[in-house]
Amino acid sequence: MRLGDERESDNVDDQRGSGGGGGRSRSPIRIGSIGGLILVLGALYFGVDPRLVMGLLDGGSSSGGVSTQSNQGLVPQNDSQKRFISQILASTEDTWGAYFKQMGRTYHDPRLVLFTGGIQSACGYAQTSVGPFYCPADHKVYLDLAFFQELQNRLGAGGDFAKAYVVAHEVGHHVQNELGIMAQVENGQSGAPDKGASGSSVRLELQADCFAGIWAKRANDAKSILQNGDIEQGMNAAAAVGDDRLQKQAQGYVVPDSFTHGTSAQRVEWFSRGFSSGDIQQCNTFAAPSL
């Protein structure tokens, strides 16, 4: 990616090495943790699990799942990874701010919290093992940078754009929150069943993938930030975190009724749709009769 001297976002809270706060807590709406599937499968992937949005999981973090090791202690204040993430977040701010203005709306920037080990959010306490997540209750994206090592080493999805895709996907959930889509899902107004391969969880995740594609197209149109191979890295990352691929790796077979994020092919398809069109109207996964 060509980021050069592009600006860094002022909305990054670096809480790495702080110990992450203590214990479990409950909140009225637990949103943003990757949820039970990742913990059961013992594999890392990212997103928001609407089962949490709809209150079907209790507050607090599960204790199972992958034990991802994070480096505690002193953290460089201006390290390259933080700079890169700050530049990507700034790019999403510029892209979505301009798009919302075009729609006659105001975009409110999310904050991104970097942490190690565990973190207390308005959606409850979460450990690194749940992966990156978005909490609508406090409008923040939470990220342990150790996830990128897991993404590359365990899932075979490395590269700068793979990292950018992770951030853009989580910001995509914030866009859903800004547009009121999450509230519709929470209130059962999405028109989709709660669970399953065509459920509201899968549709939310695929739409966030599509929104990530919109960001990539519009940011590149504005500042030519993409290089050869970047989009392929994004598609590889999208494919790596498909429900079918993760289930097959973890247990040797696929259970579509337990899908929460969509298949590898679906995730690539919807990211590609967003990148090809740059148009929110082309990302209405809830209107699609079949995914």
Side-chain angles (χ1 to χ4, degrees), residues 177-200:
N177 199 22
E178 288 279 284
L179 294 174
I181 296 170
M182 282 190 170
Q184 292 177 350
V185 170
E186 180 189 346
N187 296 326
Q189 299 173 340
S190 70
D194 292 347
K195 301 179 182 179
S198 294
S200 56

Side-chain angles (χ1 to χ4, degrees), residues 19 23 47 57 66 119 121 136 141 162 173 216-217 230 243 253 263 283 286:
L57 294 180
V66 176
I119 192 73
S121 75
V141 172
H173 287 308
K217 175 176 174 53
D230 281 343
D243 283 321
Y253 57 92
T263 67
C283 294
F286 293 92

Side-chain angles (χ1 to χ4, degrees), residues 48-73:
V48 77
D49 188 340
R51 290 177 298 173
L52 305 181
V53 177
M54 292 175 275
L56 298 182
L57 294 180
D58 288 335
S61 172
S62 298
S63 59
V66 176
S67 177
T68 303
Q69 299 299 318
S70 299
N71 294 322
Q72 298 286 347

Side-chain angles (χ1 to χ4, degrees), residues 258-274:
S258 68
F259 285 179
T260 59
H261 287 63
T263 67
S264 294
Q266 288 171 329
R267 301 200 74 163
V268 170
E269 176 188 349
W270 283 94
F271 172 81
S272 300
R273 186 177 299 200

Side-chain angles (χ1 to χ4, degrees), residues 223-244:
K223 296 189 175 182
S224 300
I225 63 172
L226 298 182
Q227 295 176 296
N228 289 337
D230 281 343
I231 293 302
E232 287 75 15
Q233 286 181 6
M235 291 182 179
N236 184 43
V241 292
D243 283 321
D244 54 340

